[in-house]
Amino acid sequence: MNFSYRAYRLLTTGAGIPAAAAALLYCRLTGKRAESLPSRLGRYVGIGPGRPRIWLHAVSVGEVRAAEAVAKVLRERLPDCSLVVSTTTETGQAQALKLSDRRTTCIFAPVDVPFAIRAAFRRIRPDLLAVCETELWPNWLVQAGRWNVPAVLINGRISVRSFRRYRRISSLISAAVNNLKAFSMISDADAGRILRLGADRRRVRVNGNAKYDGLTKWARPEAARRMADTLGLQEGQPVLVAGSVRGAEISPVIDAFCQIRSALPEAVLVAAPRHLANTAPLMAAAARRGLPVQRRSVLSSSGVVRTAPVVVLDTIGELMAAYGTALVVFCGGSLAPLGGQNILEPAAWAKPVLYGPSTEDFADARDILERSGGGEAVADARQLARRALFYLSHPEAAAVVGRRALAAAESQDGAGRRHAEEIFGLLGK
């Protein structure tokens, strides 16, 4: 046990005890967080039956989706297993509860203080611990070693930002890394970074991103046809779908479409705001530029047909189907510094994908797509207009690039199964 870890353990113990006492008193007096706080201190009840018991930890919504792709395979191979899914955020917990069944218990993750982690292991008694993406908590992983519970990093992701932070505390992180029996990483870059943090090369494998596993199954032609009918779109019509648009990129997207319309008057823009609160700004931006605009929700009313060149998708859960109506897609959250969105979703429809320079939150997806030649970055409204217009005017070229995009999405199919195989190996199954 190195000095850095001993110091970390003392610090978290010393700070954790009074903090926990204060938090429990706060809960008792106010009634707030009465459900989640005991869990965060390792006080769990109602752990489901079954063996082996596999503890999957996923921070929030995205990690839960990756964990679910792995859990599906675990349930298929080990129908009597018990799954315990822990999350850190409230939204992650809500997503986990949606995906759970009678053999899955959803809990809030314990905080990384020794007494909470010990209590969690004592109550859960897992046969294996699988942590998703970047969860290298020292007390948690050291405690797994003390309980002789094999621990594996699945869907492992070490971003450049995380790597720099971990390098500054490399001695402490080594205590966590040394207690992991397998490293099932997303990409070669992630594998390289975990190796530089001290992982045993013999235990590191690259298995893709389970978060994107099965995207192609959601590209359902019948859903696209229904959406096209609702939007009054004809087969072969030049349609640009701009997905998850928000904030400072709203005006550039509308500006780009104005340029497209001046060259291609029959073009249609389907603009999907990232949040419904962005519906009004999108409609106002179109109106300021003299573009007639309609809400998607109005078109669902009896007898209302699309007449406007701009439709704002002001409904929930229809963006994936809308992508299927496009000839080319722009993925938002990227022209402004907002981190981007999942650019492999439109790729699953075999559409060429455009996006701005800000894709930090989906850097792995961008790498996958660009390696296949299925996507390209645009710097501003002018470049967005130029590249979108090219594809809208050249459907054969769009189809070629779209097939490359589809190949990129398909390359991630089966990632959940590959990560699950690492778990089976440690369990001897």
Side-chain angles (χ1 to χ4, degrees), residues 137-179:
W137 293 102
N139 284 324
W140 203 340
L141 293 173
V142 168
Q143 199 63 222
R146 290 179 176 172
W147 280 75
N148 293 317
V149 174
V152 54
L153 181 63
I154 60 171
N155 218 54
R157 176 175 177 266
I158 307 292
S159 68
V160 173
R161 188 186 313 165
S162 296
F163 179 70
R164 289 171 181 161
R165 185 170 65 248
Y166 286 152
R167 284 296 292 268
R168 288 195 289 268
I169 54 171
S170 58
S171 180
L172 174 60
I173 288 300
S174 69
V177 169
N178 290 341
N179 280 280

Side-chain angles (χ1 to χ4, degrees), residues 95-118:
Q95 179 71 18
L97 287 168
K98 289 180 186 177
L99 302 172
S100 65
D101 59 16
R102 68 182 185 87
R103 289 195 176 274
T104 302
T105 305
C106 299
I107 61 174
F108 283 99
V111 291
D112 196 46
V113 297
F115 65 85
I117 299 297
R118 284 196 300 270

Side-chain angles (χ1 to χ4, degrees), residues 61 66 98 117 137 208-209 233 309 343 350-351 427 429:
V61 174
K98 289 180 186 177
I117 299 297
W137 293 102
N209 196 333
L233 302 173
I343 57 180
K351 309 295 181 182
L427 290 171
K429 301 293 183 181

Side-chain angles (χ1 to χ4, degrees), residues 22-32:
L24 287 169
L25 179 61
Y26 173 79
C27 281
R28 183 167 295 180
L29 294 175
T30 66
K32 296 179 179 179

Side-chain angles (χ1 to χ4, degrees), residues 359-379:
T359 56
E360 298 85 356
D361 293 346
F362 293 86
D364 54 339
R366 177 173 175 166
D367 289 344
I368 292 165
L369 192 58
E370 290 184 350
R371 282 200 304 270
S372 77
E376 60 182 289
V378 293

